[in-house]
Amino acid sequence: MKRAGIINVTGYVGAELARLLWRHPEVRLTSVTGRSGAGKPLAEVFPHLAPLGLTIGEELNSVDVVFSALPHGASAQAVAPLIEAGLPVIDHSADFRLRDVDDYESWYGRKHPAPHLLPDAVYGMPELHRDEVAKAQVVAVPGCYPSSAIPALAPALRAGLIEHDVIIDSKSGVSGAGRTLDLKRHYSEANESVLAYGLEGHFHLAEITQELSRLCEAPAPRITFIPHLVPMTRGILSTCYAPLAPGRVSPGNRARSEVREIYSEFYRNEPFIRVVDSPPQTKQAWGSNYCLLYPTVDLRAGRLVVVSCLDNLVKGAAGQAIQDMNLMLGFPETAGLEDLAVYP
Ligand SMILES: NC(=O)c1ccc[n+]([C@@H]2O[C@H](COP(=O)([O-])OP(=O)(O)OC[C@H]3O[C@@H](n4cnc5c(N)ncnc54)[C@H](OP(=O)(O)O)[C@@H]3O)[C@@H](O)[C@H]2O)c1
């Protein structure tokens, strides 16, 4: 068994990593850290994790693989010495997602804490970068919104099916913003209410643009991405729209089956992407590592429409991180991730 450690187990992503690793056949979680929780039994902070029998430390003990679930900035600082010491690191923050340090510094409004480590980091979306992830020492787990939006648009851009003018309309449950308290996420503010935010440019647009641009010829796609907060705990549903490129599909209803065929073919061998037969809902992904995609065509407007949904804490974070770890350590890609969604 390999020994895994989690830096910052006390957030939602850290806790979800611990839950998923509990059932991993090849890896044992042996060390967890947290700032405010240091010195406490993990069971005191998260009673549902009591069977792990761990105590939260200030530093990791000796481990074979490290997950960081710290916020951006703090994460690169914490993992840099571990990377330099040769440990495989899987990072949930945005610190290693963007190839271009200037992009990072302008989007995140801070100096990158370890720019020398960026060239070797790999964007951890196995469906696009499987071979690179398998060889990487540092993997950046994609953001939760990008984890739903990029798979929704990748096949269409790769096939030249759409014009490079895309709208991504995403809805997220409140756990997407983490456990740290703020007024927007108080029950009485968020319940029975829907909020659009980030209209002037949400951070995740940077990585969505980076990854989608790599899939097609220039010009880079123009992307409008608008996230919404909806009153549920977990889940992201993204509806993505783009005009069909002229002459790429047959007229009429056949367009729909041709588009489905392109998506089914693109994801034919993917264990965690399912092209489904009817528009999916977030509950169908709850607790699972699946991303569900429903591509169709708005025949009146000549537009591709793709509905994508996943659990932000699993395929949008901890599950995808474990999928990356499986590739990095040479385990079956699906190890520890076979559970179906919890329903209803
Ligand atoms: N939530 C999601 O759906 C999601 C999805 C994908 C990626 N991510 C990314 O995953 C990381 C963790 O997200 P999360 O949702 O788990 O966050 P979270 O629930 O808000 O947890 C963050 C915790 O980190 C601790 N913390 C904050 N600043 C710190 C610092 N400078 N040093 C040490 N500890 C600090 C705080 O704990 P104490 O104050 O108690 O110490 C806080 O509870 C973030 O980088 C986030 O962007 C989140």
Side-chain angles (χ1 to χ4, degrees):
M1 293 288 257
K2 294 282 186 193
R3 298 157 305 169
I6 301 172
I7 302 177
N8 200 36
V9 75
T10 52
Y12 286 150
V13 170
E16 190 67 351
L17 275 167
R19 182 182 78 85
L20 293 171
L21 286 170
W22 168 245
R23 305 236 303 153
H24 199 288
E26 313 274 357
V27 173
R28 191 143 46 88
L29 181 62
T30 54
S31 180
V32 294
T33 75
R35 187 175 57 177
S36 60
K40 294 182 188 166
L42 181 58
E44 192 179 316
V45 182
F46 292 121
H48 72 293
L49 297 177
L52 277 81
L54 291 167
T55 298
I56 301 171
E58 277 180 30
E59 301 285 330
L60 287 183
N61 299 329
S62 179
V63 291
D64 304 303
V65 59
V66 175
F67 295 91
S68 171
L70 280 167
H72 58 262
S75 198
Q77 241 169 333
V79 300
L82 305 175
I83 296 170
E84 281 152 8
L87 276 171
V89 168
I90 301 153
D91 179 34
H92 281 279
S93 82
D95 288 346
F96 297 102
R97 292 182 196 153
L98 300 179
R99 304 286 85 233
D100 182 342
V101 71
D102 294 335
D103 250 6
Y104 176 89
E105 294 185 354
S106 72
W107 276 96
Y108 289 90
R110 58 167 71 225
K111 291 271 327 145
H112 196 288
H116 62 291
L117 296 173
L118 278 182
D120 293 330
V122 172
Y123 193 75
M125 187 169 281
E127 294 76 15
L128 298 185
H129 302 296
R130 179 166 285 108
D131 293 347
E132 292 161 84
V133 170
K135 291 186 213 124
Q137 188 202 342
V138 185
V139 167
V141 183
C144 49
Y145 286 120
S147 296
S148 75
I150 295 169
L153 290 158
L157 281 164
R158 178 65 66 72
L161 191 65
I162 52 175
E163 292 182 0
H164 292 186
D165 185 5
V166 173
I167 294 176
I168 301 165
D169 176 298
S170 295
K171 282 112 188 150
S172 173
V174 290
S175 66
R179 200 166 187 238
T180 311
L181 293 176
D182 89 34
L183 190 60
K184 268 200 318 228
R185 282 171 275 137
H186 279 204
Y187 181 80
S188 48
E189 306 276 334
N191 184 45
E192 294 177 24
S193 188
V194 178
L195 170 76
Y197 66 103
L199 275 80
E200 56 298 324
H202 185 281
F203 295 147
H204 285 173
L205 182 54
E207 60 190 277
I208 294 173
T209 305
Q210 168 183 287
E211 293 301 308
L212 292 183
S213 302
R214 288 165 120 187
L215 288 160
C216 58
E217 303 286 326
R222 275 189 300 141
I223 302 168
T224 298
F225 162 55
I226 307 293
H228 300 74
L229 195 64
V230 299
M232 60 186 189
T233 302
R234 288 175 184 242
I236 288 180
L237 186 134
S238 296
T239 308
C240 307
Y241 309 83
L244 287 168
R248 300 309 295 237
V249 287
S250 306
N253 271 329
R254 272 186 51 200
R256 291 189 174 133
S257 48
E258 288 170 13
V259 164
R260 270 190 74 75
E261 183 51 34
I262 288 169
Y263 274 70
S264 301
E265 188 54 38
F266 193 92
Y267 290 120
R268 185 169 304 287
N269 297 316
E270 290 303 334
F272 294 115
I273 306 258
R274 289 179 52 215
V275 179
V276 294
D277 295 331
S278 55
Q281 59 188 97
T282 50
K283 266 201 175 180
Q284 294 163 3
W286 249 62
S288 82
N289 197 46
Y290 287 99
C291 172
L292 309 178
L293 294 179
Y294 181 74
T296 188
V297 173
D298 175 344
L299 295 172
R300 286 174 212 87
R303 243 191 281 278
L304 174 75
V305 179
V306 187
V307 181
S308 169
C309 79
L310 48 69
D311 183 324
N312 56 294
L313 292 175
V314 188
K315 183 59 170 163
Q320 186 151 239
I322 291 172
Q323 194 181 342
D324 288 328
M325 177 199 70
N326 287 340
L327 289 165
M328 293 163 82
L329 300 188
F331 303 139
E333 188 169 333
T334 54
L337 297 170
E338 289 98 343
D339 278 350
L340 299 179
V342 175
Y343 193 91

